Amino acid sequence: MPGESLTVDHVAVDYGTLRVLQDVSLDVAPGEFIALLGASGCGKTTLLRAISGFVKVASGRILLSGQDITSAPPDKRQMAMVFQSYALWPHMTAAQNIGYGLKLRKVPRAEISRRVDEMLALLGLEGFGERSVTKLSGGQRQRVALGRALAIGPRILLLDEPLSNLDARIRQSVRHEIKALQAQLGITAIHVTHDREEAMVMADRIAILDAGNVAQLGSPEEVYNRPVSPFVAAFMGADNEIRLRVERRNGEIHIPASDHNDAAVLLDGESANGDGVHVVGPGCGDVVAHFRGEAATLIAAGERPPGGLVLRGRVRQMSYPGGIYRYAVDVGDRRFMVDDPRRIEVGESVGISLPAAALHLYPAELGRHEVAEE
């Protein structure tokens, strides 16, 4: 089941008068696992359906190993899809469901039996072939759906949020199983999900979609550590933001003191080895700094740690979810949630300490859905 390359070349898709995919381009290498990640309505499922042939392309091309399949019907694309709802026949056994696609293709009965047995063994379902799918657990049913897709020997495997119906514990184990199986078979896979952690764990590269466009395409490390826009930063968890005035010079980011922050001199990410500020754009003048809540620590009002940025605020709320205290800290008109093992009284003045590497700076005039040049 060798992997095939896939090219999405400037594809646009319309639903009536509404353009839902703008001008999407994507190159998938043979055997690569790509996740299409985004919120509901961003266009990720539409892109998957365009690749599979279930949605008509308004403009652009789709190529499978260099062959133009833009106008080919779904059954001629040699792709298989695993659906969110499993889409299994309830009156059939696990083996019958796995072999159903082969039966439709008029594959000889002996070959169907051999292929089904192979899939049952591959998916750890030996002994379950004659069991009705209604008697299987959610994880087992998802494996049957995966086996049915793989049994036909597809050139591309398409996964449409296949884990969203599973509970959290089973979902974690099944996603590792799917990734391991995909790597073992060397098949090219495209996976639609709205779950950031799922995409990070499973994919070789992640395409983050926003309003019908690819906002960023890169490895999990790239999109997490170097988001190219405020939207990507927020979507990848760096949704805390505060406005600052900065100056970039000589490999450093200089931040003057204000009512809400101490003066700071931080290493520029372009000049540092993983310890500097990630700056998008010129890095001068008014910027918006994004950071993840888990990167923040609380310090006493008079404490001044070196090498990071300190925001000054006041504790407004406190809760105890277990193991740590969770504080709502007001910094000017902004409120940030910060965890700390110590008990701090409501009303107390505190500092929020942020290491340089936790900060992502974007031009203040850059909108959430715009991308600046790094």
Side-chain angles (χ1 to χ4, degrees), residues 10 83 142 240 269 301 326:
H10 297 286
F83 298 94
Q142 191 54 271
N240 295 301
R326 182 157 295 154

Side-chain angles (χ1 to χ4, degrees), residues 53-64:
F54 289 106
V55 167
K56 184 180 178 182
V57 169
S59 61
R61 300 183 305 158
I62 298 173
L63 297 94
L64 181 60

